[in-house]
Amino acid sequence: MVLSTAVRLAASRPSGRASLINFLGKDGWAARLSAPVPAAAAAPAAAATATASSTAAPAAPVPQQVASPITVAPETVTTVPPSMYEDTAASNMRKIISRRLTESKATVPHFYTSIEIPLDSILSLRKVLAKEFDTKVSVNDFIIKASAMALRDVPEVNGTFDAKTQSQRTFESVDISVAVATPTGLITPIVPSTQGLSLTDISAKVKDLATRARDNKLAPEEFQGGTFTISNLGMFGISEFSAVINPPQGAILAVGGGERKIVPGNVNVETGEKEKPKIQTTMTARLSADRRVVDEATAALFMGALKEYMNQPKLMML
């Protein structure tokens, strides 16, 4: 839009000169060029001439242009009536979670690696265990066991970072923290020495810890510590997500739910024969790792080992 008139805002300076901000359109520039010299600009020139010709008579003070005050309209804030909401004070657990996770995201250098893992072998084995041995174990129990064995094979991921001493520490024992949702917030009870437990032992331990966690009956040593955390939201219909590291632990595994997908068949390199496409149930696992403890190559080794154990669940029973 072309402005027909000049809009000028003048603000005084300590030197006596007036700074001029002009918002000029085409017509405004023409008016500006043809306008007479302002008195404020002519006065310094006249004063300089008088000073040069006669030093006896002091120069008259230059009148200072005073900017007119600008009226600022107060900001109007529309608020929701108190009758339409309710404030709830944060519990002690919520305050601790807020402080620790905010500190984690602000100070821990997160990086992420994801992998898709087939679940058909796990689902088939679960049916066999339930039918022939009357043993019920969940997919999450398999994930915990497979993670423990992968951590045993790649011990660098089974570590923590000490911010005070700026050192990393690895552990021989795999103590996996399992995220459990409670009415007051998320808590992570620990399954100690997970690498030496069977699937049925892990299943019984997790059920006991989860029940007592929801009833607020856990002892401090049962949820403080741990070397690695698993958070599974598959039962809530979440396909994938990224979890926040629980310091001082070096990594956390975020697990989504299984989804049926059409996958292309394998190709025989020697003969060139192609298998037919098939429907496969896969889940997405994403590792959030502390770059001070784990590097990208190590994270890839761990995720590859996890996939191998999940794809061949019989290896977990050896």
Side-chain angles (χ1 to χ4, degrees), residues 50-231:
T51 303
S53 61
S54 175
T55 58
V62 179
Q64 186 175 5
Q65 185 175 356
V66 180
S68 59
I70 300 175
T71 304
V72 179
E75 182 180 359
T76 303
V77 180
T78 303
T79 59
V80 180
S83 59
M84 298 181 64
Y85 64 86
E86 178 182 359
D87 290 334
T88 303
S91 63
N92 291 333
M93 181 179 291
R94 292 285 185 186
K95 292 178 182 178
I96 294 173
I97 293 172
S98 174
R99 175 178 58 82
R100 287 180 59 81
L101 295 189
T102 300
E103 178 185 355
S104 175
K105 289 296 289 185
T107 62
V108 177
H110 288 59
F111 77 93
Y112 309 92
T113 50
S114 302
I115 195 169
E116 288 191 350
I117 300 176
L119 292 179
D120 296 284
S121 299
I122 296 285
L123 299 177
S124 299
L125 183 56
R126 287 185 66 219
K127 293 180 181 179
V128 172
L129 293 176
K131 182 178 180 180
E132 299 183 8
F133 299 95
D134 195 24
T135 301
K136 294 182 179 180
V137 290
S138 67
V139 174
N140 196 52
D141 298 330
F142 280 98
I143 295 171
I144 296 173
K145 178 63 176 178
S147 299
M149 298 187 72
L151 290 168
R152 180 199 62 185
D153 296 345
V154 190
E156 294 84 356
V157 184
N158 189 47
T160 60
F161 185 81
D162 190 335
K164 293 182 179 180
T165 62
Q166 291 294 301
S167 61
Q168 64 183 80
R169 179 179 298 173
T170 55
F171 299 85
E172 182 178 352
S173 177
V174 178
D175 302 331
I176 293 183
S177 304
V178 181
V180 176
T182 69
T184 56
L186 197 69
I187 193 169
T188 53
I190 303 167
V191 182
S193 301
T194 317
Q195 77 281 4
L197 299 178
S198 65
L199 284 168
T200 54
D201 292 337
I202 292 174
S203 179
K205 187 69 174 177
V206 170
K207 289 178 181 177
D208 174 62
L209 290 171
T211 300
R212 291 192 289 117
R214 296 187 182 97
D215 295 336
N216 196 24
K217 294 182 179 180
L218 289 177
E221 62 271 14
E222 291 182 306
F223 61 88
Q224 294 178 358
T227 59
F228 186 83
T229 298
I230 296 176
S231 181

Side-chain angles (χ1 to χ4, degrees), residues 111 113 150-151 153-159 168 170 251 287 289-291 293-306:
F111 77 93
T113 50
L151 290 168
D153 296 345
V154 190
E156 294 84 356
V157 184
N158 189 47
Q168 64 183 80
T170 55
L287 182 73
D290 185 343
R291 189 57 180 78
V293 180
V294 182
D295 58 27
E296 291 78 4
T298 305
L301 286 175
F302 168 79
M303 296 297 274
L306 174 66

